[in-house]
Amino acid sequence: MRVLITGITGFVGSHLAEYVLAKNAEVWGSIRWRSATNNIDHIKDELRLVECDMRDLSSVNHLIAEAKPDYIFHLAAQSFVPTSWHAPHETLTTNIIGQLNLQEAIRSTKIEPMMQIAGSSEEYGMVYPDETPIKETNPLRPLSPYGVSKVAQDLLAYQYVQSFGLKIVRTRAFNHTGPRRGDVFVVSDFARQIALIESGKKAPLMEVGNLDAIRDFSDVRDVVSAYWLSLEKGEPGEVYNICAGKGWTIKEMLDMLLAMSNKDIKVEQKADRYRPSDVPILLGDNTKFREKTGWEPKIPFEQTLADILSYWRARVA
Ligand code: GDD
């Protein structure tokens, strides 16, 4: 079994690589020439890495010809929502054209891999209270350029399944976090600030943005097992929510993290941490995916938070 992970150096990519290696599959990964490899340094010798820029079709053609994958997990993306307002063109190009190139590269070979597309709950965007928990059939009303790029990826996959019979399974993951999460994302950002405060490198002041948003958090280790199952048991052309099915306000999450520290930390809301528009509530319904695959999230959120805090404590000490 040959498995290709685009975006293997990223947070989810590195966890998925560990998961797939444990299944004794051959793991291939695409890597940009300047990508930091710290997330995969501990497993680098077991991986086959191919230099590739997803925005360059010839580069993607080469990647597919080399790897000849049975399974593809397409995770390479610009994944931070605020950056999508500062760099909308880059976000749309990387996410949409990157996937178009991948689909075209597959179409021009004789291999017929199963491919998973990493869509997002951000595709739902504006969701009204009577629409939660969100089912896959909910209208898509994205509120950020990132959300728009993920809608386009999702529909591009659907269209290639219908038009050309590509075997693509679409997943829409809700928020997921865990060790190695980039420090710009909310849980990592807050945990890192606590670790800096504990080590005396920062005044006891936690800087935050919008604390009212509700998010459905899963552990990344549960999410990568869901991605695997999406290809083992999912239906090409179908779309599946991947989520815990429980919502926390960002304030609740912050309070849980603060309770794990013995420091007295003041919280301050900062205007530059607010977005032009923030999705108010993302609380998902995972029934369709659970019934199709038997997936169950295993790691409680409290455990995930404790693990992230340990991760940052070890790094800032
Ligand atoms: N990053 C950040 N920093 N977010 C903050 C802060 C802060 O200081 N304070 C409050 N928030 C709020 C954001 O406004 C948002 O409502 C929520 O915390 C989560 O923010 P992020 O962790 O940046 O994630 P996201 O929800 O925008 O997007 C993530 O989840 C998507 C799935 O729903 C990303 O992982 C996306 O790639 C993913 O698709």
Side-chain angles (χ1 to χ4, degrees):
M1 166 74 91
R2 294 163 73 108
V3 175
L4 170 64
I5 302 172
T6 71
I8 198 166
T9 57
F11 158 64
V12 183
S14 67
H15 283 279
L16 182 60
E18 284 174 358
Y19 183 88
V20 178
L21 283 173
K23 294 200 169 285
N24 286 323
E26 206 173 276
V27 180
W28 291 69
S30 68
I31 180 164
R32 277 177 306 173
W33 72 281
R34 280 167 62 185
S35 285
T37 58
N38 48 306
N39 284 338
I40 55 167
D41 279 344
H42 61 297
I43 48 173
K44 219 170 160 186
D45 292 346
E46 299 167 72
L47 305 173
R48 290 162 171 79
L49 300 175
V50 179
E51 192 181 322
C52 176
D53 186 325
M54 300 301 301
R55 295 167 299 190
D56 178 341
L57 179 58
S58 63
S59 182
V60 181
N61 277 334
H62 173 252
L63 171 71
I64 295 298
E66 279 280 298
K68 295 185 201 61
D70 301 297
Y71 276 6
I72 301 174
F73 296 94
H74 179 40
L75 307 181
Q78 193 302 90
S79 65
F80 187 45
V81 173
T83 294
S84 77
W85 276 288
H86 303 136
H89 186 282
E90 146 74 17
T91 302
L92 295 167
T93 308
T94 300
N95 296 3
I96 304 171
I97 303 303
Q99 185 174 314
L100 177 68
N101 287 343
L102 198 47
Q103 294 181 180
E104 279 297 316
I106 294 166
R107 214 157 75 80
S108 65
T109 65
K110 291 198 167 51
I111 57 167
E112 293 187 342
M114 286 280 290
M115 172 154 78
Q116 172 258 357
I117 294 299
S120 163
S121 54
E122 276 285 313
E123 293 175 49
Y124 296 115
M126 192 62 215
V127 173
Y128 299 101
D130 64 343
E131 294 175 327
T132 60
I134 308 162
K135 288 192 175 14
E136 289 82 352
T137 47
N138 215 69
L140 305 177
R141 309 180 191 105
L143 292 179
S144 62
Y146 169 79
V148 172
S149 77
K150 286 289 158 181
V151 170
Q153 284 189 243
D154 194 327
L155 298 183
L156 200 54
Y158 175 80
Q159 182 249 311
Y160 270 60
V161 172
Q162 299 302 326
S163 305
F164 306 117
L166 262 59
K167 296 187 204 155
I168 309 176
V169 179
R170 301 173 289 147
T171 54
R172 291 183 191 146
F174 286 59
N175 291 61
H176 41 291
T177 189
R180 296 184 213 138
R181 183 47 139 169
D183 62 9
V184 289
F185 296 91
V186 71
V187 182
S188 249
D189 183 303
F190 291 178
R192 181 169 175 273
Q193 289 192 59
I194 291 176
L196 286 169
I197 291 166
E198 287 176 346
S199 65
K201 293 184 175 140
K202 180 177 170 18
L205 192 68
M206 167 74 70
E207 297 175 23
V208 304
N210 173 23
L211 297 183
D212 298 328
I214 296 172
R215 291 291 184 272
D216 182 337
F217 287 102
S218 296
D219 192 286
V220 66
R221 294 158 286 195
D222 281 326
V223 169
V224 298
S225 75
Y227 283 173
W228 181 263
L229 283 172
S230 75
L231 292 192
E232 269 206 326
K233 300 192 172 167
E235 206 65 56
E238 283 297 331
V239 62
Y240 301 99
N241 282 344
I242 297 181
C243 54
K246 177 166 170 26
W248 284 268
T249 63
I250 300 303
K251 164 110 178 46
E252 284 168 331
M253 180 275 290
L254 171 62
D255 288 343
M256 287 161 78
L257 274 178
L258 289 173
M260 293 177 189
S261 175
N262 55 16
K263 290 277 173 193
D264 190 14
I265 299 172
K266 219 173 131 232
V267 173
E268 188 177 3
Q269 293 195 291
K270 294 286 220 185
D272 63 357
R273 284 177 178 253
Y274 279 74
R275 301 168 181 195
S277 51
D278 199 11
V279 175
I281 177 164
L282 288 175
L283 165 59
D285 183 332
N286 61 18
T287 310
K288 181 178 174 186
F289 189 64
R290 278 197 295 111
E291 286 181 352
K292 183 71 184 172
T293 66
W295 178 74
E296 284 290 345
K298 294 198 174 79
I299 305 174
F301 191 38
E302 293 72 10
Q303 182 63 52
T304 306
L305 293 182
D307 290 351
I308 296 178
L309 202 46
S310 305
Y311 174 84
W312 282 112
R313 279 175 178 146
R315 259 143 205 91
V316 308

